Amino acid sequence: QVQLVESGGGSVQAGGSLRLSCKASGYTNDRCMGWFRQAPETERKGVAAIYVGAIHGEDTYYADSVKGRATISWDSAKKVVFLQMDNLEPEDTSIYYCAARAYGLCAPMREEDFDYWGQGTQVTVSS
């Protein structure tokens, strides 16, 4: 079992930055940890993911929409997954969810492959 609690959302102007945090508890070794987002009346989509573990190292995955603007990282001592988002755009406005897989690699990021979810944190980017 993995429990996930997000924080760090908020409102920012276009061009600004935010860092989202996801505190994980439970067994987190050799898992894919990721971030999804969902805007109103749209599907939940993968944003970025990182594989945490010794077997495959810390492989990362990014959606095309955030490549070059997002950085995902893992603090093993604190069991926190960070998502640094820079040069934010109004299109980034969504609820951001932290998620983890029970097993398997990160890519492709499909919602149905992730087993554990946080409650979500709102990110609003104004123009």
Side-chain angles (χ1 to χ4, degrees), residues 10 22 35 84 97 113:
C22 173
W35 288 91
Q84 175 72 37
Y97 297 92
D113 291 334

Side-chain angles (χ1 to χ4, degrees), residues 98-119:
C98 182
R101 291 190 64 165
Y103 58 91
L105 301 178
C106 290
M109 282 188 76
R110 296 181 302 198
E111 182 181 0
E112 61 266 30
D113 291 334
F114 284 73
D115 304 281
Y116 309 104
W117 294 86
Q119 81 287 355

Side-chain angles (χ1 to χ4, degrees), residues 20-100:
L20 306 181
S21 301
C22 173
K23 172 65 176 174
S25 57
Y27 185 77
T28 56
N29 292 336
D30 298 315
R31 293 193 189 278
C32 175
M33 310 287 291
W35 288 91
F36 286 76
R37 67 185 182 186
Q38 186 171 23
E41 300 181 357
T42 67
E43 296 181 348
R44 193 172 296 186
K45 296 180 181 178
V47 176
I50 184 168
Y51 188 87
V52 177
I55 298 177
H56 299 286
E58 291 190 356
D59 287 340
T60 57
Y61 164 89
Y62 295 94
D64 288 342
S65 58
V66 301
K67 278 182 181 176
R69 302 189 297 120
T71 304
I72 189 169
S73 60
W74 167 253
D75 184 327
S76 59
K78 298 180 180 179
K79 288 191 173 182
V80 178
V81 181
F82 296 102
L83 180 66
Q84 175 72 37
M85 294 282 292
D86 299 315
N87 194 21
L88 284 160
E89 303 168 351
E91 292 75 21
D92 295 315
T93 296
S94 289
I95 298 175
Y96 284 71
Y97 297 92
C98 182

